[in-house]
Amino acid sequence: MLDRNRQHQIAGPGHGQALSAELYYDGAQNYSPYGRDYSEQEEGFNPLRLLFYAVQYRWLIVTMAAAGLVAGVIITMMQTPKYQAITQLEVLVPSAKVFQDIEVVSENADARAFLTAREKLKSRALAQRVVFQLGLSEKPDFLFPTADFSLSNIFYRAFGISKSASIEEKTPEQREAIAIRRILNDLTVNLVTNTSLLSITFVDQKPKYASDIANQVAQSFIDQRLDQTSETSDLARQFIQEQVLQVKQKLQKSEEELVAYAKDAGITITGEEKSLIGSNIETLNTALAAAIQERLDAGRMVDQIDKGRGSSLGPVLESEGLQKITEKLSELTSQYQQKLGILKPGFPEMQQLQAQIKELQRLYENGVLNITDSLRQKYQEAQNKEADLKSKLAEMEMQQVIFNDKNIKYTILKREVDSNRSQYDSLIAKLNEVGVSSELKTQSAAIVDFAVPPSAPYSPRLAKNLAVALALFLALSASIIYIIELLNNTFTNPEQIEKELGLAMLGILPHVDDRELIASIADQKSGLSEAYRSLRTSLQFSGAEGAPRSLLVTSAEPSEGKSTTSFKLGQDFAALGARVLIVDGDLRKPNLHRLFGLDNTIGLSNLLTNTVRKEDLASIFRATKYPNVTVLTSGTIPPNPADLLSSPKMALIVTNLGKRFDLVIIDAPPVVGLSDAPILSRLAEGTLMVISTNQVTRKSAKTALKRLRAAGANVVGAAMSKFAVNKFDYNYAYKYMNYQYYDYGTSTPKIEGKVDDGADQPAYAKSPAFRRLVRRIRSRVGGFVDRAKSVS
């Protein structure tokens, strides 16, 4: 039995030195399941997996992207160029009075006014007005434009040819309807944010029409509002005139009733609209107040006189005669006092002065008495006047009471007259105001910016179309990739085998074109040979005591590379010095004898059926040109392969062969649909499943593995064949293998031939770089074919 200690001492074929530790690490680290926790692998979103899909389907993505760019250009050519013109209109929200006593209050930020204006701008009535103003119903190039999207546009745009339209077949009403519909469809009105501006946008195939219609829409909106205002003013004026006539008639009638009643009741109205009695009472009240004040003033002076203070009263002091007497008396008294120091009182001159003084005193007293008597008389007259006024006022008040009884109806009639007169004056003022406002015609909107004919088309935009088409085609490519991955239930990478089947990945065998397969097997420095040596190393570490003494190589379905694997493993183990027997256990469709270039006249089937002579028994086990490699071909194809393989003789043969050889490799038929492989798997110490990339379905592989384990097989692991190593896939190019490492020996020229040793095949004088290029091209084409087959 082969063990690890022996392998360290055996040199590999063609190397001339012991196998390096790197080879063991390559097998142990990359393919051995031991020491790896698959449950820790992330199952969630992995951005690198998206990169892997992008790289894996890069040609599909590039093709779809190129198709998207071409589609974007074609779509752009199929679209008719359109021009866009924009007019900005400012909506003036009214904040002035409509009538004197009716005020309309509107906030500047009232969105309803702007929304109303926007809907009016998009109304059919305004579009009809624009059609009439510009005469659009008579312009065939406006009524019948080129199709917005058509294949014919490519021809028209390429050669500059435009279609001619005729308006003869349409009636004026139909042409007007077409023009209105075109304006409504191509007109857009939007409110500029945080402003009172409306942006009026019109799109047309001709820049002149685009600017003219945008400007005319704004102007027609202003004219329409002015017409509506003028019409409203005329209606208001007519209504007010009718009201004025009605109120005037009521005023005249009420005034006539008031005058007639005043005449019948004897009510006299002064200029100030007061009755005569009321005026007299008011006059008497004024006069009585003055008389009372006069009586009070006179009474105070009489009180002073009665108290002996008459000489100190103002009238006395203000009297000029008394003032002169007082001055003369003062002068004489002064002289008398001066002469009294010289003359005696009895002296004649002194007596004469005394007589003059006495006479002046008498005159003064008489003057004061006269003034006081006049004041007493004035007091008496004031009393009499007051009494007379009070008597007359009482009489007038009695007349006023009688007048008030008559004035009740007069007041009612007068109030009606005043109300009618007020209404009449108000209506006259309103009529004058409406007349003035109708003449002013205040605008409710103003054009801020007029549209100008655009110099460049608004659409189509090549960059936009390319971006949209590219995005759509990339999305389509993503959908196609998703569907392919959904339908592709084959194995595309080693992780899937480990995850789905739970088998250790012992080796990954690169894909080689069928035309180069024999040459790659023969070349010990090729990537395929190096991969098989790595598989051999993994098998040496698959058990506690090294490689199994008997190894069954099988697959789920045919053509997965199990015969080639048996062939190469036998050579590689023999290169380590082990005695290897390769048994072709496929008694239905044998292939191993072709790989060794032998005939298949006798073999395993003959041994099992005892149809071989004793002298030919030794010739059944055929030596090959490879040292230490012996082959037991399948022999004659029997009618009952399963019965032969399940016979006790087959178990005895395998047991005996295991004692004679260090390693027995059995090339078994596929598992699915046959019972041969499960039968043979019970006889071998270990079973190796060969699973081809993008070929065998996951369900088929699971079924095959389930059948093997149900039969008691010891499945040591799996080998993934036909794997495209040269593809730039991140998850495998860096994690599992290195293509340059497998190709490390291709720097030296080598001779390749048809047969296994290349002796009979002529050499190709080609450089290694050219061969690698050809190999990659063939590999990519073959990978595409394999994917197509797997999807189908």
Side-chain angles (χ1 to χ4, degrees), residues 24-96:
Y24 297 114
Y25 295 153
D26 179 69
Q29 292 179 359
N30 292 331
Y31 309 125
S32 176
Y34 305 118
R36 298 178 57 183
D37 187 5
Y38 298 105
S39 62
E40 296 179 357
Q41 296 180 1
E42 297 182 0
E43 299 295 337
F45 174 75
N46 188 359
L48 292 179
R49 185 168 295 277
L50 296 180
L51 177 61
F52 156 66
Y53 285 124
V55 175
Q56 181 180 4
Y57 295 96
R58 58 188 178 276
W59 295 115
L60 173 62
I61 296 174
V62 171
T63 302
M64 295 299 290
L69 295 177
V70 174
V73 174
I74 294 175
I75 291 174
T76 303
M77 295 296 293
M78 292 173 65
Q79 290 179 305
T80 302
K82 287 188 175 182
Y83 296 85
Q84 176 180 273
I86 301 176
T87 299
Q88 285 193 338
L89 181 71
E90 181 181 7
V91 178
L92 306 176
V93 180
S95 59

Side-chain angles (χ1 to χ4, degrees), residues 764-777:
Y764 293 96
K766 297 179 180 179
S767 65
F770 183 78
R771 288 202 313 275
R772 285 196 298 270
L773 177 61
V774 173
R775 187 181 298 111
R776 290 182 181 181
I777 294 175

Side-chain angles (χ1 to χ4, degrees), residues 520-770:
S520 297
I521 292 175
D523 185 5
Q524 297 300 322
K525 296 182 180 181
S526 66
L528 182 61
S529 298
E530 187 63 33
Y532 275 113
R533 283 193 291 271
S534 180
L535 174 60
R536 177 196 63 186
T537 305
S538 298
L539 286 172
Q540 290 175 308
F541 287 90
S542 62
E545 298 181 358
R549 295 293 300 267
S550 57
L551 177 67
L552 179 72
V553 180
T554 185
S555 63
E557 296 179 357
S559 303
E560 294 193 55
K562 58 184 179 303
S563 297
T564 305
T565 301
S566 301
F567 174 75
K568 279 297 293 180
L569 285 177
Q571 295 183 29
D572 293 338
F573 274 105
L576 297 178
R579 293 172 301 164
V580 179
L581 172 64
I582 304 177
V583 179
D584 193 348
D586 191 350
L587 303 183
R588 301 175 186 269
K589 191 179 179 180
N591 187 47
L592 199 59
H593 63 281
R594 296 189 182 90
L595 296 177
F596 284 97
L598 303 174
D599 61 85
N600 193 26
T601 55
I602 58 175
L604 179 61
S605 62
N606 303 102
L607 188 61
L608 292 174
T609 57
N610 294 321
T611 57
V612 59
R613 295 176 301 177
K614 291 184 178 181
E615 57 271 15
D616 296 332
L617 188 60
S619 62
I620 292 180
F621 299 92
R622 303 183 184 184
T624 64
K625 58 184 173 183
Y626 303 102
N628 297 327
V629 176
T630 305
V631 176
L632 175 59
T633 61
S634 63
T636 306
I637 297 178
N640 54 346
D643 296 339
L644 295 179
L645 295 178
S646 61
S647 63
K649 192 172 184 178
M650 181 65 191
L652 183 60
I653 291 174
V654 173
T655 303
N656 292 330
L657 292 177
K659 296 177 181 179
R660 294 179 56 190
F661 295 92
D662 296 329
L663 176 62
V664 177
I665 299 176
I666 304 175
D667 180 20
V671 178
V672 177
L674 301 175
S675 60
D676 300 2
I679 294 172
L680 293 174
S681 65
R682 300 184 60 182
L683 305 178
E685 291 185 5
T687 300
L688 174 67
M689 278 195 68
V690 178
I691 301 174
S692 60
T693 307
N694 293 322
Q695 179 176 340
V696 63
T697 63
R698 301 182 189 181
K699 183 177 181 180
S700 178
K702 287 182 179 180
T703 303
L705 180 61
K706 184 177 181 181
R707 290 190 62 191
L708 290 174
R709 286 177 173 170
N714 176 28
V715 183
V716 296
M720 191 171 192
S721 63
K722 302 181 181 180
F723 184 77
V725 182
N726 57 336
K727 291 174 57 178
F728 184 70
D729 295 343
Y730 83 97
N731 207 20
Y732 317 118
Y734 297 103
K735 186 174 181 181
Y736 286 98
M737 62 178 58
N738 190 309
Y739 180 71
Q740 281 80 11
Y741 172 74
Y742 279 163
D743 252 0
Y744 74 97
T746 58
S747 58
T748 58
K750 57 185 177 180
I751 306 299
E752 297 180 355
K754 282 186 177 181
V755 295
D756 51 359
D757 58 355
D760 300 330
Q761 183 69 16
Y764 293 96
K766 297 179 180 179
S767 65
F770 183 78

Side-chain angles (χ1 to χ4, degrees), residues 2-27:
L2 296 177
D3 55 17
R4 300 177 189 177
N5 296 327
R6 182 179 179 184
Q7 293 177 35
H8 282 288
Q9 305 300 326
I10 301 175
H15 287 69
Q17 59 183 6
L19 297 177
S20 64
E22 184 181 354
L23 183 61
Y24 297 114
Y25 295 153
D26 179 69

Side-chain angles (χ1 to χ4, degrees), residues 382-401:
Q383 288 180 335
N384 295 334
K385 183 179 179 181
E386 181 181 355
D388 293 339
L389 288 174
K390 288 183 177 179
S391 176
K392 187 65 176 179
L393 182 60
E395 181 181 355
M396 295 301 296
E397 288 178 348
M398 292 297 295
Q399 294 180 2
Q400 181 67 27
V401 171

Side-chain angles (χ1 to χ4, degrees), residues 102-395:
I102 304 176
E103 293 186 0
V104 178
V105 180
S106 176
E107 298 181 357
N108 294 330
D110 190 1
R112 292 178 297 177
F114 303 131
L115 295 177
T116 302
R118 186 182 69 177
E119 294 302 321
K120 286 185 176 181
L121 285 166
K122 297 191 296 183
S123 64
R124 183 178 181 82
L126 187 65
Q128 186 177 14
R129 189 166 188 152
V130 173
V131 170
F132 175 77
Q133 293 290 338
L134 298 179
L136 298 177
S137 60
E138 303 299 328
K139 297 180 178 180
D141 54 346
F142 179 78
L143 296 175
F144 308 106
T146 307
D148 293 339
F149 187 81
S150 176
L151 287 173
S152 58
N153 288 339
I154 300 177
F155 179 78
Y156 297 142
R157 294 183 65 180
F159 298 97
I161 302 176
S162 60
K163 294 187 296 185
S164 59
S166 175
I167 62 175
E168 313 297 346
E169 302 175 356
K170 302 291 183 180
T171 62
E173 293 77 11
Q174 291 175 336
R175 295 198 299 269
E176 182 181 1
I178 293 173
I180 292 174
R181 186 167 58 252
R182 276 219 59 203
I183 290 179
L184 294 178
N185 292 338
D186 297 331
L187 180 66
T188 304
V189 181
N190 293 316
L191 175 64
V192 181
T193 308
N194 298 328
T195 66
S196 59
L197 300 179
L198 290 176
S199 176
I200 303 173
T201 305
F202 191 80
V203 178
D204 194 83
Q205 297 177 4
K206 294 186 178 297
K208 181 65 175 173
Y209 283 152
S211 59
D212 290 349
I213 293 176
N215 291 330
Q216 187 59 47
V217 167
Q219 189 61 47
S220 296
F221 174 76
I222 296 174
D223 296 341
Q224 186 184 54
R225 294 291 294 270
L226 292 177
D227 293 344
Q228 291 175 354
T229 304
S230 178
E231 182 179 355
T232 303
S233 299
D234 293 340
L235 293 175
R237 183 169 59 250
Q238 182 180 355
F239 173 76
I240 295 174
Q241 286 176 350
E242 294 176 357
Q243 295 295 317
V244 167
L245 292 177
Q246 295 178 7
V247 174
K248 183 178 181 182
Q249 292 175 1
K250 291 173 63 177
L251 178 61
Q252 291 176 353
K253 183 178 179 180
S254 61
E255 287 178 343
E256 290 174 357
E257 292 177 354
L258 178 63
V259 172
Y261 177 77
K263 184 177 180 181
D264 295 340
I267 298 175
T268 302
I269 303 300
T270 63
E272 298 178 356
E273 298 183 355
K274 297 180 180 178
S275 65
L276 183 59
I277 296 175
S279 299
N280 292 335
I281 290 175
E282 191 174 332
T283 303
L284 287 175
N285 281 325
T286 303
L288 179 59
I292 292 173
Q293 184 65 37
E294 184 178 355
R295 191 257 306 168
L296 292 175
D297 294 340
R300 286 193 294 271
M301 290 184 180
V302 171
D303 289 340
Q304 295 294 328
I305 293 172
D306 292 340
K307 292 178 180 180
R309 300 174 184 176
S311 59
S312 63
L313 295 176
V316 174
L317 297 175
E318 293 175 358
S319 175
E320 294 181 359
L322 293 178
Q323 289 179 357
K324 290 180 180 180
I325 292 173
T326 302
E327 290 176 358
K328 187 64 177 176
L329 181 59
S330 226
E331 183 181 353
L332 291 176
T333 301
S334 176
Q335 290 178 6
Y336 179 79
Q337 292 294 334
Q338 290 178 357
K339 290 180 179 183
L340 184 61
I342 301 174
L343 298 177
K344 294 182 176 181
F347 195 73
E349 185 179 357
M350 296 295 287
Q351 292 179 351
Q352 185 179 358
L353 289 172
Q354 290 178 354
Q356 290 178 353
I357 291 172
K358 290 180 178 180
E359 182 64 21
L360 289 174
Q361 289 178 347
R362 185 184 65 80
L363 291 175
Y364 180 78
E365 292 176 356
N366 290 334
V368 171
L369 182 61
N370 291 332
I371 291 174
T372 56
D373 289 340
S374 64
L375 291 175
R376 290 180 182 275
Q377 183 66 29
K378 186 176 179 181
Y379 175 68
Q380 186 64 36
E381 292 177 354
Q383 288 180 335
N384 295 334
K385 183 179 179 181
E386 181 181 355
D388 293 339
L389 288 174
K390 288 183 177 179
S391 176
K392 187 65 176 179
L393 182 60
E395 181 181 355

